[in-house]
Amino acid sequence: MQFFIDTANLDHIREAAELGILDGVTTNPSLMAKEGITGEKNILKHYRDICAIVGPGKDVSAEVISTDFKGMVAEGKKLAELHENIVVKIPMIKDGIKAIAHFSELDIKTNCTLVFSAGQAILAAKAGATYLSPFIGRVDDITWDGIALIKEINEIYSLQMYETAILAASIRTPLHIVQAAKAGADVVTCPLSAITGLLNHPLTDIGLEKFLADHKKANG
Ligand code: G3P
C-alpha cells in the first residue's frame, strides 16, 4: 500500500518525505486555502514547490476548480504541463467523468475525487481514472461505514479487473490507515498526524527506556 500525504503544508510534506515512506501528495482547494495560497500564479508555484520537495516519480494531485468539461480540460492540461508529477484531480460529476475519459486517452493521470458510493467507483474506473478517492472519514461522519465502502469497491475492482487504484481519502486516524490496508486500499492519503500516529505504542516507549537504562548501568 502506498502512502500519500493529504496536505498543502510544505513543512508537513518535507517531514513525511524525510521519513522515507512518502509516495505522493494530495491537495484540494480547501487545503490550499488553509495554507493561504491564493491567486493562480501562487497556486501553480505552490504545486511546483511540492513537486520539488517530493522528487521524481511521486504523484502530486492538483484539483481543478472548473465544473464544466471545457474548463476542466483547459485547467487540467495547464496543471499537467506544470510538472511530470502532477495528477489532475477531478470531481465525481457528469462533466468530470467526461474529462477523466478525455485525459485517459491522452495518457494524463487523473484522481477522481468526492467519491461516496460503489456506483460512482464503477463509473470512474470505466472512464479510466488513475486513482479513485473515496472519502472514508466523511462517510463515517454521517454514521455510514467508510471502510465497508473501501471493501466493496475493492471487491468490485478485483472481480472486474479494473486498473484504477483505490486511494482511501479523508483519513482521520492511524486506525483508519490500518483498516484501509486490511480493506485492500492501494493508497492511503492522510494528514501527517495520522502517519506519525502509527509510530505510537506504550510498550515501545517502556522497552526503549529499559534498554537505555540497562546500557547505562552496565557502561557507566
Ligand atoms: O483527500 C480528501 C480529504 O482532504 C478530505 O478530508 O478530512 O476534509 O474529510 P476531510
Side-chain angles (χ1 to χ4, degrees):
M1 187 173 78
Q2 291 198 304
F3 269 66
F4 288 5
I5 188 164
D6 191 31
T7 185
N9 182 291
L10 299 185
D11 290 334
H12 287 191
I13 294 169
R14 224 170 267 122
E15 191 175 331
E18 280 166 7
L19 260 181
I21 51 89
L22 192 66
D23 299 298
V25 181
T26 52
T27 63
N28 64 39
S30 303
L31 293 172
M32 295 291 276
K34 192 173 162 195
E35 299 307 317
I37 314 299
T38 55
E40 193 188 10
K41 209 170 135 212
N42 294 330
I43 289 173
L44 296 182
K45 179 185 176 304
H46 202 74
Y47 289 139
R48 273 197 302 269
D49 290 346
I50 292 174
C51 292
I53 292 172
V54 294
K58 314 278 183 180
D59 284 349
V60 173
S61 286
E63 188 160 340
V64 298
I65 306 300
S66 306
T67 52
D68 65 295
F69 174 73
K70 233 173 117 187
M72 281 190 256
V73 167
E75 239 188 281
K77 275 191 179 152
K78 199 167 191 179
L79 289 169
E81 278 163 11
L82 253 192
H83 197 282
E84 61 186 11
N85 291 18
I86 294 287
V87 173
V88 183
K89 201 171 181 188
I90 298 178
M92 165 44 76
I93 54 176
K94 198 171 174 186
D95 278 28
I97 288 298
K98 278 168 71 177
I100 288 168
H102 177 78
F103 284 128
S104 170
E105 285 195 356
L106 297 178
D107 268 335
I108 291 175
K109 287 186 182 178
T110 54
N111 176 355
C112 182
T113 190
L114 289 166
V115 171
F116 295 93
S117 78
Q120 292 177 324
I122 291 171
L123 212 46
K126 283 295 292 173
T130 316
Y131 295 104
L132 177 91
S133 290
F135 277 27
I136 66 173
R138 292 192 196 183
V139 173
D140 288 356
D141 285 345
I142 57 160
T143 65
W144 289 13
D145 187 343
I147 293 298
L149 176 62
I150 300 289
K151 280 188 194 147
E152 188 182 14
I153 296 170
N154 184 40
E155 191 183 338
I156 294 168
Y157 277 18
S158 302
L159 272 173
Q160 299 296 332
M161 293 190 284
Y162 288 142
E163 285 173 9
T164 300
I166 303 170
L167 192 168
S170 183
I171 294 246
R172 306 273 172 76
T173 62
L175 182 59
H176 264 156
I177 299 177
V178 173
Q179 291 172 324
K182 280 171 75 179
D186 300 293
V187 190
V188 278
T189 190
C190 356
L192 183 63
S193 58
I195 299 174
T196 54
L198 291 173
L199 290 164
N200 299 335
H201 200 291
L203 291 181
T204 304
D205 299 340
I206 293 165
L208 183 60
E209 204 177 313
K210 173 95 170 66
F211 284 157
L212 295 180
D214 287 347
H215 175 83
K216 198 167 169 195
K217 221 185 290 166
N219 294 273

